[in-house]
Amino acid sequence: MKVAALFPVGQTEGGCIAAIREILTREESLNIYLLHGVLAPGQSPPDPSDIAKQIAATDFGCRVSYQLLAPINTFDLSSAYPTARATVRSMAAEHYDRVYVGITGGANPLVASVFHAAMTYLGTEVVPIYAQGKGLTTERTFVAPDIRLAVLAEEAIGMARSGQMRVAAELAARLPETGEWWFARACLAALAAWDDFDYAKARDTLRRQLRHCAAYQAHPLLSGLADTVARLAAVADRMVNMTAEFRNVQGFEKLASASDWPSRVRECGGLLVADAVANAKRRLEEGRYTDSVLRSYRAAECATQVRLYEIGIHPAKPAAFGAAFARTGGIVDGDRTLAFRAGLDLLKNIRAITCGTIAKNVQDLGQARNTTYLEHGYVRIEQSQAERCLHHAMTICSHLLGEETVANWPDLNMRL
């Protein structure tokens, strides 16, 4: 375990020695960084640099190593902070497993600069430590590892709320595997996978964490996370199983021959459509308008595929279920994938749906999607366009799956 401590130093040792001794009751060894103030013109001794040297001369049983004794501006916060930030940057490069940050001595600009820089920019475990003194005697030492963990959890959930789910999961990976921090860490990892449509990867974690959701329903930070996990966990199994069956081209004829197949497809396949819509809404709220359009398009395409699966037509290989394909009259190539528009045309030609009322929605949605930078064009999507595309997608989904079905979709939004 590689451990360090960072202390600001003023005109007294300010409990620094007591704090180091407290740390050494917990750690085998310690690398110490001291940032001492500078004696201002007219200021009475002692010089903070002499105090730092006294601290460094203290015998701790050869278990400490001083990596830095350097000056920092005592009173000018604008000057002190860059020095503290540079020190923290050099410490971060050492990849410590744990860093203690002292707030035991020094003028306010020193303490504020050191504390903020360490708490903000060290990616490892950061433990604030404070030695309470009375005169020159240390009465009590306070160690508060929970402060940094709470800040880190807030930062991770804040990222999740802004839509940066992958970044949120990476931040939360720094949290320990205990209690509420493990709950936040595990849940954010699962939601990042879910946001990437990796339902199988998310499911097991959602299922495990579901057992703990009730305990965090009223938690000031984690209640939204608990609510979201509980709602998604309730549908995860059905969505994972349905996607696995949709991918099973070789076994599709047997699957589609089952009597409950149409109802299961409508219900569980509909969940996939609902989540694509929820994903598009998140991208819209995040201001990622092009991504929102692509997901709106995918939701409409997915609804079309659900109708095809429901009648026994596999979009990737229409001839996979021969009996169902025969009922189409051979109007499509049985070995050629049915894209969105081709799937709609097939459904229309076999009279499974009518397309007149959604023709304009389909056309506008497809055109918006095709002209984006992420597809075939160079159009920058604006908010109003993304909103229209989401409306088009909802209209198409309601027409294909039924307004009642869409109205009864479970809430798959991430309300963190």
Side-chain angles (χ1 to χ4, degrees):
M1 180 74 71
K2 191 176 179 182
V3 182
L6 172 61
F7 290 97
V9 177
Q11 289 188 288
T12 70
E13 59 94 1
C16 181
I17 292 173
I20 293 172
R21 289 201 171 107
E22 174 69 23
I23 294 170
L24 290 173
T25 65
R26 306 158 183 262
E27 311 292 350
E28 291 295 324
S29 61
L30 187 65
N31 289 346
I32 298 178
Y33 296 72
L34 299 179
L35 288 175
H36 61 78
V38 179
L39 197 65
Q43 187 179 15
S44 300
D47 192 314
S49 65
D50 293 332
I51 302 299
K53 292 173 185 176
Q54 290 174 24
I55 295 170
T58 303
D59 183 9
F60 294 104
C62 300
R63 295 169 58 194
V64 302
S65 174
Y66 289 90
Q67 305 299 306
L68 180 72
L69 275 76
I72 182 171
N73 195 299
T74 305
F75 302 109
D76 184 356
L77 186 58
S78 296
S79 174
Y81 187 78
T83 303
R85 177 70 182 95
T87 302
V88 166
R89 186 181 295 112
S90 67
M91 294 178 72
E94 295 296 324
H95 303 291
Y96 288 106
D97 298 293
R98 185 180 301 116
V99 174
Y100 291 83
V101 54
I103 52 172
T104 61
N108 289 345
L110 275 68
V111 175
S113 297
V114 168
F115 181 77
H116 183 271
M119 293 289 282
T120 304
Y121 295 109
L122 284 172
T124 188
E125 180 183 356
V126 179
V127 183
I129 184 166
Y130 169 64
Q132 181 187 39
K134 186 175 183 180
L136 297 178
T137 303
T138 298
E139 293 192 329
R140 186 178 176 189
T141 302
F142 298 86
V143 183
D146 55 308
I147 296 176
R148 167 63 175 172
L149 297 177
V151 169
L152 184 57
E154 287 179 8
E155 186 178 359
I157 291 177
M159 281 291 179
R161 286 170 179 159
S162 71
Q164 301 297 313
M165 297 302 304
R166 182 58 54 192
V167 176
E170 290 173 357
L171 283 173
R174 302 175 188 172
L175 293 168
E177 298 181 6
T178 56
E180 60 186 350
W181 311 124
W182 173 237
F183 179 78
R185 173 176 168 170
C187 290
L188 286 172
L191 295 185
W194 187 281
D195 190 59
D196 201 30
F197 301 106
D198 193 343
Y199 305 120
K201 184 176 180 180
R203 175 182 58 179
D204 290 344
T205 301
L206 291 173
R207 184 185 294 161
R208 286 193 297 270
Q209 296 308 316
L210 177 62
R211 302 194 301 266
H212 307 294
C213 286
Y216 297 107
Q217 284 181 345
H219 193 284
L221 180 62
L222 304 180
S223 58
L225 196 59
D227 172 69
T228 297
V229 166
R231 286 186 286 102
L232 298 187
V235 299
D237 270 340
R238 284 175 283 169
M239 293 172 70
V240 171
N241 294 338
M242 195 81 267
T243 53
E245 291 180 331
F246 284 173
R247 290 194 300 267
N248 186 5
V249 179
Q250 298 300 318
F252 183 70
E253 182 170 358
K254 181 178 180 181
L255 288 168
S257 299
S259 59
D260 67 339
W261 174 255
S263 61
R264 284 202 305 110
V265 170
R266 180 63 67 98
E267 177 199 354
C268 302
L271 294 175
L272 301 176
V273 181
D275 190 60
V277 169
N279 202 299
K281 287 180 179 178
R282 284 199 297 278
R283 297 302 183 269
L284 178 60
E285 292 166 357
E286 295 158 19
R288 296 164 62 183
Y289 302 129
T290 297
D291 286 340
S292 178
V293 168
L294 267 57
R295 284 155 173 76
S296 292
Y297 183 92
R298 175 56 186 152
E301 180 181 51
C302 189
T304 302
Q305 292 175 337
V306 166
R307 287 301 303 270
L308 291 170
Y309 282 120
E310 188 179 334
I311 62 176
I313 302 296
H314 198 296
K317 188 176 181 181
F321 183 13
F325 179 65
R327 291 195 294 270
T328 69
I331 58 178
V332 294
D333 185 342
D335 294 314
R336 188 171 181 178
T337 298
L338 290 171
F340 176 34
R341 295 293 290 270
L344 283 174
D345 289 341
L346 174 58
L347 290 169
K348 180 181 68 174
N349 290 335
I350 64 174
R351 303 182 188 281
I353 63 169
T354 58
C355 287
T357 58
I358 61 170
K360 179 64 171 171
N361 302 101
V362 172
Q363 179 182 347
D364 290 351
L365 179 58
Q367 183 176 13
R369 176 258 193 184
N370 290 337
T371 57
T372 67
Y373 267 90
L374 294 181
E375 287 298 328
H376 313 302
Y378 299 92
V379 173
R380 298 294 302 174
I381 300 296
E382 302 294 333
Q383 179 179 350
S384 59
Q385 293 173 285
E387 290 171 345
R388 284 197 299 272
C389 286
L390 183 58
H391 172 74
H392 291 324
M394 287 299 297
T395 300
I396 295 167
C397 292
S398 295
H399 183 77
L400 292 174
L401 303 180
E403 291 185 2
E404 183 177 353
T405 296
V406 171
N408 290 325
W409 276 344
D411 181 2
L412 301 183
N413 293 299
M414 295 186 184
R415 306 187 190 283
L416 304 177

